[in-house]
Amino acid sequence: MITTVTANPAIDRTIIVEDLKIGYVNRVIRSRVDAGGKGINVAKNLKNFGDDVIALGFIGPNAKYIIDCLEDEGIKTDFVKIKNETRTNIKISDISRMEVTDLNEYGPYVSEEEIELLKKSIFKYAKESKVLVLSGSLPQGVPKTFYKDIIREVKSGDLKIILDADKEALLYGIEEKPYMIKPNVQELEDVVGKKLESLEEVIEEGKKLKDSGIEIVAISMGGRGSVVITKEGIYRVMPVKVEVKGTVGAGDAFVAGFAHGIYKGLPIEETIKIAAALSTSVVMKEGTRAGTLEEVNILKDKIGIERIER
Ligand SMILES: Nc1ncnc2c1ncn2[C@@H]1O[C@H](COP(=O)(O)OP(=O)(O)O)[C@@H](O)[C@H]1O
Ligand SMILES: O=P(O)(O)OC[C@H]1O[C@](O)(COP(=O)(O)O)[C@@H](O)[C@@H]1O
């Protein structure tokens, strides 16, 4: 089984506009609502691959919609019901500039008792899982060491832990050496505390993290693809040129591709191709939607992948 944890789910509201003018009245062409939040998006992609996945996290009284969406897709869920409301994240998609602006709320305040309930639940499901995905920001009240504490508690040879977080949550989490991390360049810059101007610098810093004991360091670079640093080698992955309709959820799809490959024990190059293809299929869609196996099968062979170093 694969367990995904979303401490800070979101009702993602995507608003499609043409030529957004800040400070003026803008007309909305159309809008849509999706169940969002990083681990939730990972779970949606994994379900489309037919994997056995359960989604955990905190859920507020206003967000039954998220559970319904997941259950409609056949995804198992076991969320801790909290007192305060789940956030709504606004995504403004400007189709003339092909640009998405994210307005992400901090999320609700979560109490100590609620945090303990989620921890207990993660510890329980981790015992039955091969892969554990810890993803996204932490809502208010949750200590920045949340992921670190979980990794320390559940880490074992049989459980592969993927951490996709930012800022302090990532910094602390890294100390416990998860199996894989997936920072984007900005997140990597925050970890190393300096600007990374060239691909060489990005690789250099990624290598240091790998050498510190993290098996897979996958650095995503948006429309420039990614670099994946593993013990098998360093891979430069080029994106497919497609019509981009929305980039929200691309990083989560990329993580899901790795979770799938690791779960199935696939070779690293095949895993990378699936991850890149899955994220490509997501940028071809409006809103926060998952990719499908059919889409990945079409896109996979178009992914350019080159081993640049052993
Ligand atoms: N504009 C784009 N064109 C093609 N592929 C993209 C584009 N943006 C993202 N992707 C794909 O999605 C992956 C993850 O995107 P990225 O934006 O780096 O993630 P995050 O959302 O975590 O910052 C990229 O490595 C790439 O494969
Ligand atoms: O937890 P965070 O970092 O605020 O991010 C949450 C947002 O990111 C998403 O999970 C999308 O993430 P990616 O674009 O990085 O894949 C949205 O569904 C959600 O609104």
Side-chain angles (χ1 to χ4, degrees):
M1 184 167 73
I2 304 175
T3 297
T4 72
V5 176
T6 315
N8 210 358
I11 297 164
D12 281 356
R13 180 160 199 97
T14 307
I15 293 167
I16 291 107
V17 295
E18 214 166 347
D19 191 20
L20 178 74
K21 289 196 179 66
I22 306 283
Y24 288 83
V25 173
N26 294 268
R27 289 291 161 201
V28 173
I29 296 176
R30 55 186 176 275
S31 68
R32 56 174 292 130
V33 174
D34 294 286
K38 295 209 168 1
I40 286 173
N41 294 333
V42 172
K44 292 192 296 190
N45 282 284
L46 287 171
K47 185 66 198 177
N48 285 352
F49 269 68
D51 292 340
D52 180 16
V53 59
I54 183 157
L56 311 182
F58 296 117
I59 207 82
N62 61 325
K64 189 173 170 296
Y65 168 78
I66 292 184
I67 311 252
D68 289 348
C69 283
L70 297 179
E71 290 183 351
D72 281 354
E73 290 181 34
I75 299 168
K76 285 181 278 181
T77 64
D78 194 358
F79 282 85
V80 172
K81 296 190 175 55
I82 59 169
K83 185 169 152 270
N84 294 324
E85 297 207 331
T86 292
R87 63 187 170 156
T88 295
N89 287 346
I90 311 276
K91 319 285 173 180
I92 306 172
S93 178
D94 185 333
I95 50 174
S96 32
R97 295 198 190 91
M98 303 242 284
E99 200 174 71
V100 181
T101 303
D102 291 57
L103 303 172
N104 291 353
E105 294 182 9
Y106 283 111
Y109 179 82
V110 181
S111 72
E112 269 176 41
E113 297 76 59
E114 290 164 343
I115 295 169
E116 280 315 303
L117 284 175
L118 180 57
K119 276 189 169 172
K120 269 203 192 133
S121 166
I122 298 170
F123 298 159
K124 180 179 114 191
Y125 286 105
K127 289 202 187 94
E128 303 160 31
S129 300
K130 263 170 89 172
V131 180
L132 173 66
V133 182
L134 304 170
S135 289
S137 61
L138 300 170
Q140 300 177 73
V142 177
K144 302 293 179 210
T145 55
F146 184 71
Y147 292 137
K148 175 181 175 171
D149 298 342
I150 289 168
I151 298 168
R152 193 197 298 118
E153 183 72 27
V154 301
K155 207 173 164 188
S156 76
D158 299 334
L159 177 69
K160 308 277 194 281
I161 304 173
I162 302 177
L163 175 65
D164 178 19
D166 66 358
K167 306 254 164 51
E168 292 105 314
L170 175 60
L171 263 174
Y172 282 122
I174 281 173
E175 290 176 11
E176 288 298 326
K177 313 290 172 226
Y179 182 79
M180 173 178 161
I181 55 171
K182 192 229 61 81
N184 59 29
V185 176
Q186 168 75 61
E187 289 158 355
L188 182 62
E189 287 177 346
D190 289 343
V191 166
V192 301
K194 62 174 181 191
K195 272 245 148 273
L196 302 172
E197 309 286 357
S198 65
L199 185 63
E200 286 68 34
E201 284 178 283
V202 168
I203 292 173
E204 205 47 51
E205 295 303 330
K207 261 163 98 175
K208 285 185 202 160
L209 286 166
K210 192 220 71 181
D211 292 342
S212 77
I214 299 168
E215 299 261 339
I216 301 176
V217 178
I219 303 151
S220 67
M221 304 187 299
R224 292 182 297 139
S226 60
V227 174
V228 182
I229 301 165
T230 72
K231 65 175 183 320
E232 286 93 348
I234 298 176
Y235 299 88
R236 173 74 177 104
V237 191
M238 298 308 292
V240 187
K241 279 231 164 332
V242 292
E243 192 193 344
V244 177
K245 295 214 173 131
T247 49
V248 178
D252 302 339
F254 193 67
V255 169
F258 276 94
H260 172 76
I262 293 165
Y263 180 60
K264 294 284 179 192
L266 301 179
I268 188 68
E269 293 194 20
E270 173 73 1
T271 300
I272 293 173
K273 281 189 185 173
I274 291 172
L278 202 48
S279 60
T280 308
S281 74
V282 165
V283 302
M284 295 165 74
K285 298 181 184 126
E286 271 178 2
T288 316
R289 289 153 78 192
T292 66
L293 191 54
E294 295 71 41
E295 289 162 346
V296 166
N297 285 335
I298 295 168
L299 289 163
K300 216 172 61 175
D301 296 328
K302 299 187 179 148
I303 302 292
I305 170 168
E306 185 195 353
R307 183 153 76 189
I308 50 179
E309 217 180 279
R310 277 198 78 84

mmCIF file of all heavy atoms in Angstrom, residues 208-223:
data_model
loop_
_atom_site.group_PDB
_atom_site.id
_atom_site.type_symbol
_atom_site.label_atom_id
_atom_site.label_comp_id
_atom_site.label_asym_id
_atom_site.label_seq_id
_atom_site.Cartn_x
_atom_site.Cartn_y
_atom_site.Cartn_z
ATOM 1 N N LYS A 208 25.251 16.919 -2.935
ATOM 2 C CA LYS A 208 25.608 16.959 -1.499
ATOM 3 C C LYS A 208 24.498 16.328 -0.664
ATOM 4 O O LYS A 208 24.760 15.588 0.280
ATOM 5 C CB LYS A 208 25.814 18.417 -1.049
ATOM 6 C CG LYS A 208 27.118 19.020 -1.522
ATOM 7 C CD LYS A 208 27.268 20.410 -0.913
ATOM 8 C CE LYS A 208 28.223 21.258 -1.731
ATOM 9 N NZ LYS A 208 28.071 22.703 -1.493
ATOM 10 N N LEU A 209 23.241 16.608 -1.048
ATOM 11 C CA LEU A 209 22.112 16.045 -0.300
ATOM 12 C C LEU A 209 22.074 14.529 -0.475
ATOM 13 O O LEU A 209 21.844 13.782 0.475
ATOM 14 C CB LEU A 209 20.805 16.681 -0.770
ATOM 15 C CG LEU A 209 20.588 18.117 -0.286
ATOM 16 C CD1 LEU A 209 19.467 18.785 -1.061
ATOM 17 C CD2 LEU A 209 20.266 18.119 1.211
ATOM 18 N N LYS A 210 22.328 14.079 -1.713
ATOM 19 C CA LYS A 210 22.338 12.630 -1.962
ATOM 20 C C LYS A 210 23.453 11.968 -1.149
ATOM 21 O O LYS A 210 23.257 10.940 -0.502
ATOM 22 C CB LYS A 210 22.520 12.366 -3.454
ATOM 23 C CG LYS A 210 22.255 10.937 -3.822
ATOM 24 C CD LYS A 210 23.177 10.346 -4.842
ATOM 25 C CE LYS A 210 24.548 10.084 -4.429
ATOM 26 N NZ LYS A 210 25.561 9.580 -5.148
ATOM 27 N N ASP A 211 24.615 12.591 -1.153
ATOM 28 C CA ASP A 211 25.756 12.016 -0.429
ATOM 29 C C ASP A 211 25.539 12.010 1.084
ATOM 30 O O ASP A 211 26.160 11.244 1.803
ATOM 31 C CB ASP A 211 27.046 12.780 -0.774
ATOM 32 C CG ASP A 211 27.446 12.546 -2.229
ATOM 33 O OD1 ASP A 211 26.948 11.568 -2.833
ATOM 34 O OD2 ASP A 211 28.236 13.351 -2.771
ATOM 35 N N SER A 212 24.603 12.876 1.547
ATOM 36 C CA SER A 212 24.342 12.906 2.989
ATOM 37 C C SER A 212 23.451 11.738 3.414
ATOM 38 O O SER A 212 23.190 11.559 4.597
ATOM 39 C CB SER A 212 23.683 14.239 3.368
ATOM 40 O OG SER A 212 22.315 14.211 3.002
ATOM 41 N N GLY A 213 22.923 10.974 2.422
ATOM 42 C CA GLY A 213 22.145 9.785 2.782
ATOM 43 C C GLY A 213 20.719 9.743 2.246
ATOM 44 O O GLY A 213 19.949 8.875 2.626
ATOM 45 N N ILE A 214 20.356 10.694 1.367
ATOM 46 C CA ILE A 214 19.025 10.650 0.748
ATOM 47 C C ILE A 214 19.196 9.942 -0.605
ATOM 48 O O ILE A 214 19.993 10.368 -1.428
ATOM 49 C CB ILE A 214 18.468 12.088 0.570
ATOM 50 C CG1 ILE A 214 18.349 12.758 1.941
ATOM 51 C CG2 ILE A 214 17.123 12.071 -0.160
ATOM 52 C CD1 ILE A 214 18.101 14.252 1.898
ATOM 53 N N GLU A 215 18.461 8.855 -0.812
ATOM 54 C CA GLU A 215 18.717 8.016 -2.003
ATOM 55 C C GLU A 215 18.382 8.727 -3.311
ATOM 56 O O GLU A 215 19.095 8.602 -4.288
ATOM 57 C CB GLU A 215 17.875 6.731 -1.934
ATOM 58 C CG GLU A 215 18.182 5.870 -0.745
ATOM 59 C CD GLU A 215 19.118 4.727 -1.077
ATOM 60 O OE1 GLU A 215 19.212 4.359 -2.253
ATOM 61 O OE2 GLU A 215 19.749 4.218 -0.130
ATOM 62 N N ILE A 216 17.246 9.426 -3.333
ATOM 63 C CA ILE A 216 16.838 10.093 -4.579
ATOM 64 C C ILE A 216 16.587 11.573 -4.286
ATOM 65 O O ILE A 216 15.742 11.917 -3.455
ATOM 66 C CB ILE A 216 15.556 9.467 -5.175
ATOM 67 C CG1 ILE A 216 15.765 7.971 -5.464
ATOM 68 C CG2 ILE A 216 15.137 10.210 -6.455
ATOM 69 C CD1 ILE A 216 14.514 7.252 -5.969
ATOM 70 N N VAL A 217 17.310 12.428 -5.007
ATOM 71 C CA VAL A 217 17.073 13.873 -4.907
ATOM 72 C C VAL A 217 16.595 14.307 -6.294
ATOM 73 O O VAL A 217 17.370 14.331 -7.256
ATOM 74 C CB VAL A 217 18.359 14.632 -4.497
ATOM 75 C CG1 VAL A 217 18.104 16.136 -4.451
ATOM 76 C CG2 VAL A 217 18.867 14.127 -3.145
ATOM 77 N N ALA A 218 15.300 14.571 -6.394
ATOM 78 C CA ALA A 218 14.718 14.947 -7.688
ATOM 79 C C ALA A 218 14.409 16.444 -7.618
ATOM 80 O O ALA A 218 13.603 16.874 -6.793
ATOM 81 C CB ALA A 218 13.449 14.149 -7.941
ATOM 82 N N ILE A 219 15.070 17.202 -8.462
ATOM 83 C CA ILE A 219 14.894 18.659 -8.437
ATOM 84 C C ILE A 219 14.090 19.066 -9.665
ATOM 85 O O ILE A 219 14.553 18.902 -10.805
ATOM 86 C CB ILE A 219 16.264 19.376 -8.404
ATOM 87 C CG1 ILE A 219 17.064 18.896 -7.181
ATOM 88 C CG2 ILE A 219 16.073 20.903 -8.378
ATOM 89 C CD1 ILE A 219 18.542 18.945 -7.363
ATOM 90 N N SER A 220 12.864 19.557 -9.422
ATOM 91 C CA SER A 220 12.021 19.916 -10.569
ATOM 92 C C SER A 220 12.252 21.377 -10.920
ATOM 93 O O SER A 220 12.501 22.203 -10.047
ATOM 94 C CB SER A 220 10.554 19.626 -10.261
ATOM 95 O OG SER A 220 10.091 20.486 -9.246
ATOM 96 N N MET A 221 12.180 21.648 -12.222
ATOM 97 C CA MET A 221 12.514 22.993 -12.708
ATOM 98 C C MET A 221 11.430 23.532 -13.641
ATOM 99 O O MET A 221 11.732 24.195 -14.634
ATOM 100 C CB MET A 221 13.870 22.932 -13.417
ATOM 101 C CG MET A 221 14.980 22.371 -12.519
ATOM 102 S SD MET A 221 16.638 22.457 -13.194
ATOM 103 C CE MET A 221 16.467 21.451 -14.646
ATOM 104 N N GLY A 222 10.171 23.214 -13.327
ATOM 105 C CA GLY A 222 9.049 23.727 -14.114
ATOM 106 C C GLY A 222 9.196 23.386 -15.597
ATOM 107 O O GLY A 222 9.463 22.233 -15.961
ATOM 108 N N GLY A 223 9.030 24.394 -16.433
ATOM 109 C CA GLY A 223 9.105 24.192 -17.885
ATOM 110 C C GLY A 223 10.484 23.792 -18.382
ATOM 111 O O GLY A 223 10.659 23.443 -19.556
#
